[in-house]
Amino acid sequence: MSLGSPGNPAQLNAEARWDAFDPVAYVRKNYRTVLPVDAEIMTIVRAHFSDHFRGIPGLRVRGIDVGAGANLYPTFMMLPWCDEITLLDRATPNLHYLEQQLDKHDRGWDAFWQELCLDDAYAALPGGPWERLSEIARVEQGDICALVDRPEQWQLGTMFFVAESLSTADKKFREGVECFLRSLTPGAPFAAAFMEHSEGYWVGETPFPACDVSESDIRDSIEEFAERLRIYRVGEPGEVRPGYTSMILACGFRRTGSS
């Protein structure tokens, strides 16, 4: 049965079995090594953040990784610039995984940090990523859509493969993007990644939903709330798993106007 077919439990909007999510299996399947698409994403985002903050010496900001889950490299990409990072996730297993990583980390993530260290701002971080992460990161349980009640709280943000993975509903996808971007202060840099035309995915024996979104859908959902937006198609179809056409990376800044 396809994940996108009627009757599949993953079809239920925001009612997927999030507490059955297996972060260890997810990491083993997706982040055992640094795939070329991961390296490409990190290269683009590393430059986006570094180019912005390099001209503002001494500035320390509050960052947020929305739907942090079992992927640490979006948080790694914010480390040199932050004195506080919120790791927000809904699923209890993911929260436990993140807490464990702050205490005793999986050495597999070191290869991702080494990719970022091609930029001096990362290479010069005292103590490397783990000491800094344990000092400034805070794991928090929460729903992305609840960020509607926390506008303009963070000065830097990442959101990787979250908004299109909330449910099968386009309305929920757009709500997720809006809540993420509204949680950032005007002018804040951000990076967000999406699976284009995703059919949903499995973690172990458990299916999880996805909203079928195109590059234009992604752009349209972001443009009202962002400026200096750049959209990148990264990786190859099926490079990570079957059932999607491309990864879409969006980098920009929270709009400073009225949106």
Side-chain angles (χ1 to χ4, degrees), residues 38-152:
D38 297 318
E40 185 177 2
I41 288 171
M42 286 189 284
T43 296
I44 294 168
V45 178
R46 182 183 66 204
H48 176 51
F49 290 163
S50 292
D51 289 348
H52 175 72
F53 287 111
R54 188 174 289 117
I56 318 174
L59 178 67
R60 291 290 180 178
V61 302
R62 298 177 68 211
I64 185 170
D65 184 18
V66 174
N71 179 6
L72 289 179
Y73 81 72
T75 299
F76 280 1
M77 292 188 295
M78 295 189 285
L79 274 181
W81 325 113
C82 293
D83 57 14
E84 180 182 319
I85 296 178
T86 299
L87 306 181
L88 186 75
D89 203 272
R90 172 177 178 167
T92 299
N94 285 344
L95 298 167
H96 290 163
Y97 177 83
L98 292 167
E99 292 282 8
Q100 289 167 0
Q101 294 305 300
L102 298 184
D103 181 50
K104 185 178 180 181
H105 65 276
D106 179 348
R107 303 298 299 187
W109 291 110
D110 290 342
F112 291 82
W113 179 253
Q114 289 306 312
E115 288 285 335
L116 293 170
C117 283
L118 296 174
D119 184 297
D120 290 345
Y122 295 86
L125 195 67
W130 300 109
E131 181 179 328
R132 185 70 179 158
L133 196 64
S134 64
E135 289 175 353
I136 69 170
R138 180 172 60 90
V139 178
E140 179 181 330
Q141 186 165 30
D143 190 296
I144 181 176
C145 294
L147 292 175
V148 69
D149 297 322
R150 301 169 73 178
E152 300 185 7

Side-chain angles (χ1 to χ4, degrees), residues 240-254:
V240 175
R241 60 168 173 79
Y244 71 97
T245 56
S246 182
M247 290 189 190
I248 306 295
L249 176 65
C251 294
F253 299 84
R254 175 70 170 94

Side-chain angles (χ1 to χ4, degrees), residues 13-14 144-145 159-181 192-198 209-223 225 231 248 250:
N13 294 336
I144 181 176
C145 294
M159 180 183 68
F160 274 51
F161 314 115
V162 176
E164 78 281 21
S165 301
L166 297 173
S167 76
T168 57
D170 179 74
K171 180 179 179 180
K172 183 61 69 173
F173 160 71
R174 292 178 181 274
E175 182 183 359
V177 172
E178 178 175 350
C179 288
F180 165 61
L181 291 172
F194 307 86
M195 291 280 193
E196 182 189 51
H197 296 307
S198 176
C211 182
D212 182 355
V213 294
S214 66
E215 180 179 341
S216 61
D217 293 329
I218 293 164
R219 181 183 293 275
D220 288 347
S221 71
I222 295 173
E223 279 187 324
F225 308 101
I231 302 288
I248 306 295

